[in-house]
Amino acid sequence: MSETIVQAPARGNITAVPAIELPGAERKPITKKDISADHPTWCPGCGDFSVLALYFKLMEKRKMLHEKITTIAGIGCSSRFPYFVQAHGAHYIHGRSLPFSSGVSLTRPDLHVFVFGGDGDAFSIGGNHVNHTARKNIKMTYVIMDNWVYGLTKKQTSPTSPLGFKSKTDTWGAMDQPINPMKQLISAGATFVARATHTNPNHLLQMMEAAMDHDGFSVIECLSECVEFYEGAFDSSNPRKGGKFELVPATHDVTDENAAYALAAAPFPGHFGIFYKNNRPTKNANEAKINAAAMAKVAGKKDWEILQATFNRLK
Amino acid sequence: MSETIVQAPARGNITAVPAIELPGAERKPITKKDISADHPTWCPGCGDFSVLALYFKLMEKRKMLHEKITTIAGIGCSSRFPYFVQAHGAHYIHGRSLPFSSGVSLTRPDLHVFVFGGDGDAFSIGGNHVNHTARKNIKMTYVIMDNWVYGLTKKQTSPTSPLGFKSKTDTWGAMDQPINPMKQLISAGATFVARATHTNPNHLLQMMEAAMDHDGFSVIECLSECVEFYEGAFDSSNPRKGGKFELVPATHDVTDENAAYALAAAPFPGHFGIFYKNNRPTKNANEAKINAAAMAKVAGKKDWEILQATFNRLK
Amino acid sequence: MSESTVTPPVSASPAKVSKVTEAVIRFAGNSQDGIQAIGGFLARLAGRSEQEVMTFMTIPSTISGGPSIFQVRIGSGEVLSAGDEADMLVAFYQHSYEDHIHSVRKGGIVLYDSDHVQVKPEWESEYRHVAVPISSRTIEAIGGTAKDKGKNLFTLGLVAKMFDLNLPKLERLITERFTGKDESVVKNAMMAFNAGYGFSLGNLFETFQFVESQKRDGHQVVMNGNEAMAYGLIAAGIRFGAAYPITPWSDIMELLRRELPKYGGTFVQCEDEIASISMAIGASWAGRVAVTGSSGPGISLKTEALGWAVMAEVPLVVCDIQRGGPSTGMPTSVEQSDLNIAVYGGHGDSPRVVLAPTSVEDCFYTAIEAVNIARKYSTPVVIISDQAIATRIEAFTEPNMEKVCQDISPDLTPVADYKPYPLNAPDGISPRIAPGTRIMSGKYPIATGLEHDEMGHPTGSPKLHTQMTARRRKKLQKLGSELPVPKIYGPPEGNILLVGWGSTEGPIREAVDRARAAGDSVSSVHIRHISPLPPGLENIFAGFNNVFVVEMNDEGLYGYGQLCGLLRARYCDPKIRGLTKTDGLTFRVREILDRAKANVAEGLRKM
Amino acid sequence: MSESTVTPPVSASPAKVSKVTEAVIRFAGNSQDGIQAIGGFLARLAGRSEQEVMTFMTIPSTISGGPSIFQVRIGSGEVLSAGDEADMLVAFYQHSYEDHIHSVRKGGIVLYDSDHVQVKPEWESEYRHVAVPISSRTIEAIGGTAKDKGKNLFTLGLVAKMFDLNLPKLERLITERFTGKDESVVKNAMMAFNAGYGFSLGNLFETFQFVESQKRDGHQVVMNGNEAMAYGLIAAGIRFGAAYPITPWSDIMELLRRELPKYGGTFVQCEDEIASISMAIGASWAGRVAVTGSSGPGISLKTEALGWAVMAEVPLVVCDIQRGGPSTGMPTSVEQSDLNIAVYGGHGDSPRVVLAPTSVEDCFYTAIEAVNIARKYSTPVVIISDQAIATRIEAFTEPNMEKVCQDISPDLTPVADYKPYPLNAPDGISPRIAPGTRIMSGKYPIATGLEHDEMGHPTGSPKLHTQMTARRRKKLQKLGSELPVPKIYGPPEGNILLVGWGSTEGPIREAVDRARAAGDSVSSVHIRHISPLPPGLENIFAGFNNVFVVEMNDEGLYGYGQLCGLLRARYCDPKIRGLTKTDGLTFRVREILDRAKANVAEGLRKM
Ligand SMILES: Cc1ncc(C[n+]2csc(CCOP(=O)(O)OP(=O)(O)O)c2C)c(N)n1
Ligand SMILES: Cc1ncc(C[n+]2csc(CCOP(=O)(O)OP(=O)(O)O)c2C)c(N)n1
Ligand code: SF4
Ligand code: SF4
Ligand SMILES: [Mg+2]
Ligand SMILES: [Mg+2]
């Protein structure tokens, strides 16, 4: 019936090579050099450089397998991230990096899925995907590089721009109440919600490690200054600029949702650290359970036999 | 230069008639009959009938001017609402009724803007618009008719379907954690957030009145049973079915955001009434202020003179 | 009943049995009457009896229901369409009776529920009326508790008796259908069925029997187009999909959601159509082609992301189950008005592959073809099916499962070096590797929507933009050049060539048969590959004086439909003209022929 | 400098002053050098001097910058394009020098910053090199504090001296530009400018002077296409808009956001493109046509909602400022690859109006025309501009403001009765009333995306769907029949007709002029109304042996661009062929002519 069934070769003419190391043998751990790609095109002084540097550090420290690292982003200055990482990566469309990454996470449990993006990407066009990825608790780590402005498109108001910020779309100062990233993430059901800043690299690395170790959707809002369009935005959170970097109080119970909202209500610069954490099952685990049950019923059958059995009922 | 400038007549051949009443004279108040249109195509017993009936009651009770009522909806069973109301209305696309209505609200302060829709329309495809309309605080009243299921498309899991609900897309029972409408609305910055149910008409009417009187974005989540695909979903909130209808405690401070989160955390059936209320300025008011300031600077000038002045600077 | 075989005179003897080669029966009631189920049983029975079968239905788009019909055509010979005219109407209500009697051929049978229908005397002479108190007899048989639920099975019993259907097979079908439900359900169903079968058709002058069908190779399976497509995707090796519900696409996602776990696969219901296509693209990028799909508005929402897949050269299958448009349109009607969006949807130059299945069987194979093209050419493939094909039931020869099923899991063997977008790739076609694949050179690829160099890094180079744009085009030109030339149905030369695509294949072929039987010179060609177009069409067109492109869409600003526009642009031949309609109904054979004749008479229009 | 007028011999006397009718100057540096500002001053000065002017620029798409150029062509006669070859290059860096020297005509001037540029000996004989230590002299003049900020004004001073520009006018422009800023800013700017003006061009053998321009009627205004479109929308009466930022559309939204409040209007920055178009549609429905706009990906996102406006017949203006595609593509390059999405974007049959402005001035008037068509025909109108027109600066005759400005506030006078979708409306055109209008019959309309009856209530009727689909089409057919026949540039008969649309008008006309000057038989026609197409094109095409559709988009699967596909489909004339490119740059005059000649030589291709 079908007149042409193209037979698609899986690999075409790419040369497969045997892995150089013996299976099971220790591989040389990756170095920063291995995973640095293009020189970042960010403006000199942009906060995004620190986030990248700490990502490299994380990869090194945790001795990740080079080919298992995937770096995914939306669109924005911050979202150019994957180009600067020498590893499998994807630079997707504006605001939709989370569903893309969910497709990766749900089909490839062997990969580490890291997602990067800006405040506009996350909370403006991408806001609903943040909420739904959170409630589904799809395993991945998402770093929102929040500069309170649209960088790439040159200074429009972002959903995190504070009231009064003078942008090209609010020359008289922003008037729309900004979203509160922490509150939105917690109420949406994210299971790991943390706050960091590019000016405190040690803390940021700590947060990244904790996020990566979390089995679920882990999100870090990382303040990352846009020196071009919002210079000094975060000075009051930077001790080197006379500001105050205050950790989440040691007494804070990260599993207490209401306490987390209270923490999130503090005026800027507020607190840094993990606001909320919860261990409910991931969608990855839930789907795996469903599959295990379904596959148990057809155990031992080849795929075509399962389909054959279905067709037998359609006669 | 431009070869054809079509001159568009404003009204074409529609017959304008003088208003029958003298200007200023009292008009006969509208009746339910005046504003009932098509017989609703909902299934017999559908909760949506009550919401419609109370909308009619509200119009009557508040003696609204017929032509000033606008009823806007997205897509879904509940969103068929405007067809059943004999008044200016629009049945827009799925999930986008809020931005549409914002366009109405921001340009026509003389109109009452009421928006109706389902849980899928509001929290699935439309979730981000809910958040942004909330933070901008655009004046309108939004009634979310929550039946915990996709009605119109015949029983798929909705973002409010509770865990375990067996739908066509989760035959084994829903596994994704549902969103919590109250928490999402409050954290997004909605300035009037209430909860009601179609089985308590008096309370629902009260909520509708309070919502309409609120100067800002007022939202009611109204439980509205889908007898076809989720029969009995809300029985435990219905005293006539042996359930419990509990009002928001009198001691609850509606301006206390944290208290509102706590209230929203209660398991079903939880409380009914106003969870949160806040009087920050609407976007309508903020924009009007900007305009007043800008217009003051060109006071007395015709529009073409203002533009002429601008062009004079472009020489 | 094929008119030539039914005994023509309105005779008297009530026990007369006529042999027929086919019959068209229309059931008309309301959507809650379960008439789809009657049709389903009949169709499945026909399949098991090696008969051909085709169904057609309409459903209201509101939930609380409204009028609904189901038409089934069963034949011992080839069945190409659901039939222009019915041989028998089963009418449950007065409105069913009045609205549908004109779909019955003169002299045909009208079987009506005498509890609801008042016969119009002026019609009694033109149609053979058969009164059956369907409602009351059903209640008698199973009690009034089950709402109107048994009427359909009672009616099925009646029909089984009238057409001397195979009773054991039917009973087995009913039992199978209700297996897993409460036992009383099966019991009630059988009771209603038996009551109908046993009902004395005293005033019916004639019953019917199908002539023996020709033996076919292999067994037949019976299903609708949406099921065929979903199973085709599974056979093709698809193990991940993501979508958002919408009519008439939803069935496919519901089936995949239910079935994929058996194969270790997953289907995700997303928050909207943009998330769905993005999730599918993510999964595809991760190594195994994934699927998304929608209808109407949901297709519009997917175009931005689709463009990314074009640019990043990530394979993907997008099913578009067309319905009436534009906007929310006519959600439960058929239309073929998404061809333009399938081919051109999205900003920029974003060529992609578009396939249109022509029958239920073809839905199965097109799904497999789509997956394979997507993989080989690293491209999104849009399958444009439609509401008619999606919901109609056909029987077709069971596929050789072991042969058609394929494993498309990604190969993660390390490679020496890899360029995702090599400029020297022959015909622009370059294979992909999945993340997780170690690359010994240490240089890893980036998938991107920005214009890029060979490694996927962004470029502003005019030269690279020209070269990469050409690569994306050339690989599809290559595919186009290798497609099979479509086969002409009928002689290769003549007066009129009917060109069609998608679900109209049956009615068009039947139109050709009917026209040729009447001595008219009509042939047809059906195009499955919409973009790129297959080679050789110009030679086919050269054989005819008139080429009419038959489509269920609007004639547009300049007098032709959407495929017609594509063909006119490509071949610049003014004899290629439109034959379109937008009433939301499938083409009737007569409609096609009448319109074609009128067009020929009209001559070449000045556009 | 128009080659015929520049004194040709490379002479010696340094004080020589040549009269020129025009000059093309290219400034090449990095994006932070403020070279756009130099261009802006020159363009504005030209406007105030009643000269014609056209500019062209490239900017990198990353923020941290990179190479950037600005080219300005100033002439006493008609200036049609930004010029194929530059008469003078101003190079700030070595890369600017090396990358751009080939854009200078042989014998042209290369003025370089000798603090950064090392001259290549092999080029010294071909171009007249002029060394100026721009960086150090600027620092000398204003100190090293202002980063590199003064270099552009220093350079402007140099150019002013070389071309004997009107000093008082220029100084006024500089002062105006910095008005409102810190006083020291103006002072620094003037100091840098004066330093440049005063710099001794010792080794320059020649300075220039523009011949007097012809007196024009009225004053000239100077702006870019995005500004012209935004002001056109304001003149047309638009008082509400909503959008999401994206390059190169953002300028328009930023301008409207800033300016509308003076007129009591509002522009809203939304959370995404879907919300934006929805908000604009809501405002339009509420009574006064509103605007939204975007570029690239944002346009794809708007198509679902656009279809609603088609179906509900709500007027709307959508500006598409095209950039390189597909997907994120080439955000700061020019391309005309959105014609298909503008015409066909969206599922179903959803006809809408598409207009393409041809120049900066035309952006202003097209905006007004779009608003008026939207209102009269109750339809969305898509304006497809592009990155080149959006960012290039032109001078044009000031509009008669009082005449062009219009008030389109809704009329809320009560009406007796009203049907939003009357089937008997002549040509399907029916006026709208706004909510808030009292309807004495008590029957109110519903705007809907479902197929509907005359009051807007949903229908499943095949007949109504056919009728309503026809209404939506017919009103645009009516508009099409009333459009003016496009005017031919050049004689109405000949060998080659160049057909263009959008920003290519200038280069195409210049190509016609140049070809005719060389004795070749070439004319052109430019199409502003893309959909519906204007009448009379077939007669125009009939006068030529070859019709080439010149477009900045891909040649597609079958060898022609997007407008070409539309024209081939409509006219089915194989002599209509494509002349396309996708390098993200504007057409050069030479490129068009060379390609046209090659195409003629090649003969009719088999598609
Ligand atoms: C669909 C779509 N809309 C708009 C854009 C234009 N755009 C690119 S990045 C961006 C926002 C950038 O802001 P943010 O996400 O905060 O990232 P930043 O540049 O500040 O790091 C926008 C609006 C786009 N590329 N695609
Ligand atoms: C863009 C788009 N996607 C999907 C649909 C199909 N659709 C119509 S209504 C609906 C959901 C209905 O659920 P809800 O909003 O809860 O309303 P209900 O019917 O339950 O009142 C869906 C998915 C559509 N019309 N448009
Ligand atoms: S514009 Fe801002 S966010 Fe973007 S690279 Fe520069 S400093 Fe960073
Ligand atoms: S399907 Fe459910 S929500 Fe829809 S009308 Fe029926 S009862 Fe109401
Ligand atoms: Mg940002
Ligand atoms: Mg619902």
Side-chain angles (χ1 to χ4, degrees), chain A residues 74-296:
Chain A
I75 300 284
C77 287
S78 40
S79 290
R80 297 214 143 213
F81 212 95
Y83 295 121
F84 314 141
V85 181
Q86 186 56 269
H88 288 291
H91 185 223
Y92 194 54
I93 55 178
H94 190 38
R96 324 293 179 181
S97 56
L98 291 183
F100 181 100
S101 305
S102 300
V104 182
S105 170
L106 290 169
T107 57
R108 292 294 301 277
D110 58 319
L111 301 175
H112 298 278
V113 182
F114 291 93
V115 195
F116 295 87
D119 39 319
D121 201 63
F123 295 116
S124 193
I125 189 166
N128 204 36
H129 307 309
V130 170
N131 287 9
H132 285 267
T133 311
R135 79 180 181 91
K136 289 185 169 151
N137 197 24
I138 299 174
K139 178 160 175 53
M140 68 181 81
T141 296
Y142 183 29
V143 181
I144 301 168
M145 294 147 83
D146 190 356
N147 56 10
W148 290 359
V149 70
Y150 284 11
L152 190 63
T153 47
K154 307 188 175 175
K155 205 178 190 175
Q156 293 86 11
T157 305
S158 117
T160 55
S161 298
L163 292 176
F165 170 60
K166 291 198 171 73
S167 77
K168 284 190 194 156
T169 44
D170 282 306
T171 47
W172 40 73
M175 300 184 315
D176 297 335
Q177 173 175 295
I179 62 121
N180 181 312
M182 295 292 107
K183 287 188 194 171
Q184 176 169 347
L185 286 161
I186 299 161
S187 68
T191 53
F192 178 105
V193 182
R195 195 155 168 268
T197 167
H198 75 110
T199 52
N200 190 331
N202 290 338
H203 179 258
L204 175 53
L205 181 61
Q206 251 175 45
M207 290 300 105
M208 281 187 169
E209 283 200 81
M212 175 178 147
D213 290 338
H214 175 71
D215 184 19
F217 181 54
S218 51
V219 191
I220 301 169
E221 183 214 4
C222 177
L223 304 178
S224 181
E225 184 175 341
C226 172
V227 293
E228 187 69 21
F229 300 122
Y230 208 150
E231 217 178 337
F234 308 129
D235 283 2
S236 64
S237 70
N238 184 354
R240 278 187 302 277
K241 298 270 172 81
K244 207 167 77 175
F245 177 87
E246 206 172 328
L247 285 174
V248 165
T251 55
H252 174 66
D253 173 1
V254 294
T255 67
D256 179 344
E257 191 179 327
N258 269 354
Y261 289 124
L263 215 55
F268 193 80
H271 301 87
F272 294 89
I274 302 172
F275 278 49
Y276 184 70
K277 196 162 148 34
N278 161 329
N279 289 323
R280 68 186 165 86
T282 59
K283 183 166 183 74
N284 311 55
N286 283 332
E287 295 291 340
K289 228 192 222 164
I290 293 291
N291 285 8
M295 292 169 84

Side-chain angles (χ1 to χ4, degrees), chain B residues 137-167:
Chain B
N137 196 24
I138 299 174
K139 178 160 175 51
M140 70 181 79
T141 296
Y142 183 28
V143 181
I144 301 168
M145 293 146 82
D146 190 356
N147 57 8
W148 290 359
V149 70
Y150 284 11
L152 189 63
T153 47
K154 308 188 175 176
K155 204 178 190 177
Q156 294 84 11
T157 304
S158 118
T160 56
S161 297
L163 293 176
F165 170 60
K166 292 197 171 74
S167 77

Side-chain angles (χ1 to χ4, degrees), chain B residues 37 44 74 82 94 100 114 123 161 164 170 194 198-199 210 228 232 235 268:
Chain B
H94 190 38
F100 180 100
F114 291 93
F123 295 117
S161 297
D170 282 306
H198 75 110
T199 52
E228 187 70 21
D235 283 1
F268 192 80

Side-chain angles (χ1 to χ4, degrees), chain A residues 33-70:
Chain A
K33 194 165 158 262
D34 294 336
I35 48 169
S36 310
D38 296 2
H39 177 74
T41 49
W42 292 312
C43 307
C46 176
D48 296 352
F49 281 101
S50 317
V51 183
L52 180 66
L54 291 160
Y55 186 55
F56 290 153
K57 211 165 233 167
L58 178 73
M59 305 288 106
E60 275 186 343
K61 182 164 175 202
R62 303 299 292 264
K63 300 196 176 26
M64 316 258 294
L65 285 183
H66 202 166
E67 67 275 16
K68 299 291 185 190
I69 302 165
T70 62

